[in-house]
Structure formats: C-alpha cells, structure tokens
C-alpha cells in the first residue's frame, strides 16, 4: 500500500486498533456512569406519601342530618351560633303526624270516659248485688229464728193440748190442728235450714270475674291506643332535628319548603377548643396508612403564591371502613393538629401528604411500592 498524503493539514486517519480503543473507552465511561447512576438511585432515599384532602375540625365534631325525609317548616339556628346538646335546629312539616296524634288522643279520651262509666256501672251493680245478698242472708237468719220459735211454740201447745185431751178438756180435733201446725213449722224450718246461699256467692264471684275480664279488655285497648299516641308523638319529635353535641354550628344552604333527606348534611357542629385535621384518602392507600405516620399539610387560608406555610403532625385515628360517595372510594383519617400562632377557623380546607414509607429513587420513579 502507498503512503497517504493530505493537502489541507488534516490528521492521519485512525487505525482500526485506535477506533477499537476509543469505542471501548466510551463504552467503559458509559457503563461506569450508568452503574454510578443506578447505584445512586438505589442509595438515595425517597419518601413515599399518600395525597389527601380535608379540612380542620374540632375534636368534638358532628354532622347533622335529617332523621327522616321531610319538608322544612322552620329554621331555628343560623351559621355561627352557639348551640347546646339537644337544642332544636330545624323543624320539619308534621301536619299529618299532628292529625294522627289528635285523632289518637281523642280516641284515648273517649275510651277513658267509657272505662270510667263502665267501671262505675260495674261497681254499682256489684255493690247492689252484695247488698241484696247480705239482706237475703239477714232476712233468712231472721226467718230461721222465727220458724224455730214457732216450732217450739207449736210443740209446747201440742204437749199441753195432749194433756187436756187426756183429761177431756180439749177435743181431738183441736189436737189434730195443733199437730198439723207443728208439722208445718217443721217443714218451714227444714226448708229454711236447707236453703244454700253458696250458689248466689258463686254467681257474684262469676260477675266479678266477668267484669274484671271486661276491664282488662278495655285496659288492653286503652294501652294500645296510648301506644299509638306515643308513636305519633315520637314521629312528631323525630321531625325536630336536634344538635347532638354542644358547639358552634355551620349551616349548609337549605330553605323553608325544601325537601330534606337523611343523606343530606344540613349542619356541622364544632365543639370544644382542641382541633384535629380530618382527611380523605383514596382507597388505594387504605392498607398502607397507620397511626403515628407523619403528615405535612397546606391550608387554603395560608397558601400564598410566594410564601407557603406548612403544618405538620401525625395520624391519630383511621376509620375501619372504606366509604363511597358515588365517584370514588376513600378512607377517613383523623390527625392531630397544632395551629401554632395562626388563628385557624374550623372548616378550613387543607391539602396534605401522609408519609407512609421510604424507598429508593428507582422504586419511586417506577411507582413500585416498597
């Protein structure tokens, strides 16, 4: 082969060995840099977190819903007012229930009057029968004594007449008449002695039982009507929406005449001074969260364009159920919250990150859970 000559002063072309050496050096540098990057990605720790949205509330907190479906007739409490536990917030229309209550109360009043009237009649009838039975016993006892005296008198006359007949001073006919009178007295006395008042007493006891059974039936009917009155009163009371706890209320938008359903939240009540952060976390993080995990939150009131203020704390409590609002499934998480020097009003919305694990950079980049 001949020599290579140039006219522009270029360098000599690389030989095959030189090209191989340069390529090997480049591959070595690439492999070294790649290994270094991979190694750094495996060494660099990255915090894994679940995003959450929620708001600041108080430790004592309640959502107020209507217990039944009904139309609003009166709104008694507005936003910002302080209420006591059990205070009526809203009254629903209860015209139908009040009509049922009035009808039931009228039936109870009528039945009570009927019961009193019937009780008086029964007592009067039993008293009359008891007096009549006692009078019959008294008259029977008197008749028995009279009959015994008459019999004794007839026996004395019979003995005297027999002596006089034997002496011829009285006729046999008079003796027979006296003997007949004595026999009649004996018959009357025996009839009086055999008269039994037990059957009358049994009838009186039977009347008492019959009247008692009738009163029990009336009392059962009265008790059923009183139960219907209590149920009507309970339905009316159930249409009064009361505050479950004491605190300051936030009223949602609803008006008189609006139809409320048990699914609608109409008030929130914030009680006490201690605040918590209530967060809603997507269901996919449900199994990764636990109490004691750290969070960092930004509040809408302090989320400026230049300066952002973060609030930090830990998870205190997790609800054991996964909820669904029709669009997504989520789990409620309650975190402790320290407002520090900032005045935070209950209901302030927040965006938070809940840190649940640490992994390497590559796991984070490829979204591989630790």
């Amino acid at each position: 082969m001949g020599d290579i000559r140039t006219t522009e002063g270029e360098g000599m072309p690389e030989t095959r060995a030189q090209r191989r050496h340069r390529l090997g050096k480049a591959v070595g540098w690439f492999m070294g840099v790649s290994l270094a990057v991979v190694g750094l990605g495996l060494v660099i720790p990255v915090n894994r977190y679940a995003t959450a949205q929620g708001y600041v509330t108080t430790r004592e907190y309640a959502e107020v819903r209507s217990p039944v479906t009904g139309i609003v007739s009166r709104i008694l409490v507005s936003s910002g007012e302080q209420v006591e536990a059990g205070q009526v917030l809203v009254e629903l229309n209860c015209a139908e229930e009040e009509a049922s209550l009035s009808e039931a109360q009228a039936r109870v009043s009528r039945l009570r009057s009927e019961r009193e009237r019937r009780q008086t009649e029964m007592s009067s009838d039993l008293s009359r029968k008891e007096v009549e039975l006692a009078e019959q016993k008294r008259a029977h006892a008197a008749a028995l004594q009279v009959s015994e005296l008459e019999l004794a008198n007839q026996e004395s006359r019979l003995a005297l007449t027999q002596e006089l007949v034997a002496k011829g001073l009285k006729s046999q006919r008079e003796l027979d008449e006296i003997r007949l009178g004595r026999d009649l007295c004996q018959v009357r006395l025996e009839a009086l002695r055999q008269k039994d008042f037990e059957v009358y007493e049994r009838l009186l006891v039977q009347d008492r039982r019959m009247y008692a059974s009738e009163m029990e039936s009336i009392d059962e009917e009265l008790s059923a009507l009183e139960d219907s009155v209590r149920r009507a009163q309970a339905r009316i009371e159930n249409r009064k929406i009361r505050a479950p706890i004491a605190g300051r209320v936030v009223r949602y938008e609803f008006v008189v005449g609006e139809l409320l359903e048990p699914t609608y939240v109409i008030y929130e009540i914030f009680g006490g001074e201690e605040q918590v952060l209530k967060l809603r976390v997507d269901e996919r993080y449900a199994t990764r969260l636990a109490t004691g995990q750290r969070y960092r939150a930004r509040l809408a009131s302090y989320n400026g364009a230049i300066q952002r203020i973060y609030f930090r704390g830990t998870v205190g409590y997790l609800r054991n159920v996964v909820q669904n609002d029709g669009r997504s499934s989520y789990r409620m998480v309650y975190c402790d919250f320290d407002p520090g020097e900032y005045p935070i009003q209950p209901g302030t919305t927040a965006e938070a990150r809940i840190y649940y694990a640490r992994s390497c950079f590559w796991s984070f980049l490829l979204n591989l859970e630790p």
Side-chain angles (χ1 to χ4, degrees):
M1 298 179 59
D3 296 336
I4 298 176
R5 297 181 180 181
T6 64
T7 59
E8 297 180 357
E10 306 95 9
M12 296 294 292
E14 294 179 339
T15 64
R16 181 178 295 177
Q18 288 174 332
R19 287 197 299 271
R20 288 178 179 175
H21 177 71
R22 183 170 60 80
L23 180 60
K25 188 175 180 181
V27 170
W29 274 102
F30 176 77
M31 293 297 293
V33 171
S34 297
L35 290 175
V37 170
V38 171
L40 287 174
L42 294 175
V43 172
I44 296 174
V46 177
N47 289 324
R48 308 299 295 272
Y49 59 84
T51 58
Q53 295 79 36
Y55 55 90
V56 177
T57 181
T58 51
R59 181 71 65 180
E60 296 182 8
Y61 168 81
E63 292 181 347
V64 181
R65 293 176 170 85
S66 173
V68 295
T69 300
I71 297 175
V72 178
S73 62
R74 293 179 65 195
I75 299 175
L76 304 176
V77 175
S78 301
S79 287
E81 293 186 24
Q82 187 75 22
V83 298
E84 299 296 328
Q87 182 176 339
V88 179
L89 306 176
V90 178
E91 291 182 356
L92 302 179
N93 184 277
C94 56
E96 183 178 349
E97 287 75 13
E98 288 177 346
S100 299
L101 176 61
S102 298
E103 181 182 356
Q105 288 175 333
R107 293 174 61 188
V108 167
S109 180
R110 287 195 299 268
L111 188 57
R112 282 177 177 169
S113 299
E114 175 65 20
R115 184 186 185 281
E116 292 177 0
R117 183 190 64 79
R118 190 63 183 137
Q119 178 71 42
T120 302
E121 290 179 352
M122 292 176 182
S123 299
S124 177
D125 185 54
L126 290 175
S127 299
R128 178 180 56 80
K129 290 181 177 181
E130 289 173 352
V131 170
E132 289 178 353
L133 181 57
E135 183 62 24
Q136 288 180 11
K137 288 182 177 180
R138 188 193 64 76
H140 177 266
L144 186 61
Q145 291 179 354
V146 170
S147 182
E148 289 175 348
L149 292 174
E150 289 178 348
L151 178 60
N153 181 54
Q154 288 294 330
E155 287 179 346
S156 298
R157 289 183 60 193
L158 179 60
L160 180 59
T161 304
Q162 284 176 344
E163 292 179 0
L164 293 175
V165 169
K167 294 180 180 180
L169 299 177
K170 289 285 185 179
S171 64
Q172 185 65 35
R173 181 179 177 182
E174 291 179 1
L175 178 62
D176 293 338
E177 289 177 356
I178 293 174
R179 186 179 286 114
L180 178 60
R182 184 203 61 178
D183 293 341
L184 290 174
C185 286
Q186 287 178 339
V187 171
R188 285 195 298 269
L189 180 59
E190 187 63 27
L192 290 171
R193 287 175 175 173
Q194 290 181 357
K195 187 171 183 178
D196 188 7
F197 287 94
E198 185 177 353
V199 63
Y200 299 101
E201 292 175 349
R202 286 200 300 269
L203 289 174
L204 187 59
V205 170
Q206 185 177 351
D207 287 343
R208 289 196 185 98
R209 291 176 179 172
M210 180 182 66
Y211 290 155
S213 177
E214 184 177 348
M215 292 304 298
E216 288 178 2
S217 178
I218 294 175
D219 288 340
E220 288 177 0
E221 184 178 357
L222 182 60
S223 177
L225 288 177
E226 289 173 343
D227 286 341
S228 66
V229 169
R230 285 191 288 270
R231 287 193 297 270
Q233 290 173 338
R235 287 194 296 269
I236 292 175
E237 185 63 26
N238 206 30
R239 290 185 170 268
K240 295 179 180 179
I241 304 173
R242 299 179 179 273
I245 62 173
R248 192 170 300 279
V249 301
V250 174
R251 176 190 157 193
Y252 284 37
E253 288 299 324
F254 63 97
V255 295
V256 174
E258 183 175 344
L259 180 68
L260 296 183
E261 295 184 358
T263 56
Y264 299 162
V265 177
I266 57 175
Y267 284 96
E268 288 181 308
I269 302 180
F270 301 93
E273 298 297 331
E274 185 179 0
Q275 293 182 329
V276 297
L277 185 62
K278 184 178 179 180
L279 299 174
R280 175 170 158 170
V281 183
D282 194 87
E283 182 184 6
R284 68 178 184 271
Y285 298 111
T287 59
R288 302 187 184 103
L289 302 182
T291 57
Q293 292 174 342
R294 297 178 299 107
Y295 77 85
R296 188 185 73 175
R298 293 182 303 178
L299 303 186
S301 303
Y302 298 94
N303 191 16
I306 300 177
Q307 182 183 11
R308 292 183 176 180
I309 299 174
Y310 292 97
F311 297 86
R312 292 175 171 80
T314 57
V315 174
Y317 170 73
L318 298 93
R319 292 196 64 179
N320 293 327
V321 296
V322 175
Q323 299 173 250
N324 191 298
D325 62 0
R327 295 174 298 176
S328 61
S329 299
Y330 59 91
R331 187 177 185 185
M332 296 306 302
V333 177
Y334 298 84
C335 308
D336 57 41
F337 182 78
D338 182 12
E341 60 184 5
Y342 301 99
I344 307 298
Q345 294 297 323
T348 303
T349 57
E351 294 181 357
R353 293 180 177 182
I354 302 176
Y355 300 96
Y356 60 85
R358 300 185 74 182
S359 65
C360 68
F361 173 79
W362 296 117
S363 295
F364 173 77
L365 186 65
L366 299 176
N367 198 25
L368 300 177
E369 292 295 336

